[in-house]
Amino acid sequence: MIVLVVSSIVLGLSIAAPVGPINIEIMRRGLAFGFWPAFCVGLGGMSSDLLLMAAMFFGIGVFLTWTWVQVALMLIGCLVLVHAGWTSLRSKEEWRLEEGRERRGHKGEALLSYIRGMIIAGTNPMNLLFWISIYGSVLSGALQEENMFRSFIISSMVFLGIGLWNANLAFFVHFGRYVVHSRLLKWIQGVASLVLIYYGLKFGWIGISTLFKNFPT
């Protein structure tokens, strides 16, 4: 049982740890607004993960393999990421800690961060691939053994692993900003914004390529 718990947590960490749009957005929001907006991005991503996990658990995730569904999600992700990155690049605000403290009081930032994290995670092709293939395979093995408790443990520990990574990243970015010069913060923010735009364009390219590949004119 201990091996099952540890391996499931590691599996959750393995999907959350690689550098991707959700981690970049956590860093970007953390640098700009502090811990809670950054953590809410992670919570939004985990909400999408929970929906995908439920889809796999109840066997209704097959619709995620439909081409038109994947293309629609990728194009939505493209719009969200490009908009987020471009808006951040055009921002003329100064990155001083005093302003950051005032920003953290904006209640709307937490909700906006949550929604954005949910959309980014739910439209990430690599995230969808993980839940359909890797997690689906692991879960199906447990279900074939008719061991619901084992399936529940796997799902819960995978989710816990994702949550641990998101919380640690938000915590690290929040306190790391206090030891970094404001100009460096602005530079990091700019790079993060460009990376978001890159992922957005990548999602769009994959979506359009998939569309023309499966539905040639």
Side-chain angles (χ1 to χ4, degrees):
M1 180 60 67
I2 295 178
V3 174
L4 176 64
V5 169
V6 173
S7 62
S8 299
I9 292 176
V10 171
L11 184 60
L13 290 171
S14 69
I15 184 179
V19 177
I22 194 71
N23 282 340
I24 295 297
E25 182 65 8
I26 289 175
M27 293 174 62
R28 194 182 71 84
R29 303 294 287 187
L31 291 173
F33 305 110
F35 175 80
W36 284 111
F39 185 60
C40 284
V41 173
L43 289 179
M46 291 173 66
S47 296
S48 285
D49 292 336
L50 184 61
L51 292 176
L52 293 171
M53 181 185 294
M56 296 296 103
F57 191 86
F58 292 107
I60 59 177
V62 65
F63 79 94
L64 293 175
T65 63
W66 297 349
T67 301
W68 69 269
V69 173
Q70 294 179 357
V71 170
L73 291 175
M74 291 176 193
L75 294 180
I76 292 173
C78 171
L79 294 176
V80 171
L81 290 174
V82 171
H83 177 267
W86 180 248
T87 302
S88 179
L89 277 180
R90 296 190 63 186
S91 175
K92 302 298 183 181
E93 298 173 351
E94 295 294 331
W95 298 99
R96 294 192 295 267
L97 291 179
E98 291 78 15
E99 294 179 355
R101 293 191 184 98
E102 294 178 1
R103 288 170 163 194
R104 290 199 298 275
H106 294 180
K107 296 180 180 179
E109 291 301 333
L111 179 60
L112 178 61
S113 298
Y114 176 84
I115 294 174
R116 184 165 289 174
M118 189 172 185
I119 294 175
I120 292 174
T123 58
N124 185 347
M126 297 306 297
N127 201 33
L128 295 175
L129 179 62
F130 169 85
W131 292 107
I132 294 173
S133 59
I134 301 175
Y135 176 77
S137 299
V138 173
L139 185 62
S140 63
L143 292 176
Q144 287 175 3
E145 297 174 2
E146 298 184 353
N147 192 333
M148 295 301 295
F149 178 73
R150 180 184 176 88
S151 302
F152 175 77
I153 292 295
I154 292 175
S155 302
S156 300
M157 293 303 102
V158 167
F159 198 66
L160 176 61
I162 296 172
L164 288 174
W165 174 264
N166 290 337
N168 286 331
L169 181 58
F171 183 85
F172 175 79
V173 173
H174 171 72
F175 287 100
R177 65 203 294 266
Y178 288 96
V179 296
V180 178
H181 193 274
S182 60
R183 289 184 179 179
L184 182 57
L185 283 176
K186 190 173 183 179
W187 183 83
I188 295 174
Q189 177 77 1
V191 173
S193 300
L194 290 175
V195 173
L196 286 180
I197 293 175
Y198 162 76
Y199 276 111
L201 295 176
K202 182 178 179 180
F203 287 8
W205 174 256
I206 295 175
I208 294 175
S209 299
T210 303
L211 180 64
F212 281 100
K213 181 179 179 181
N214 289 274
F215 302 102
T217 55

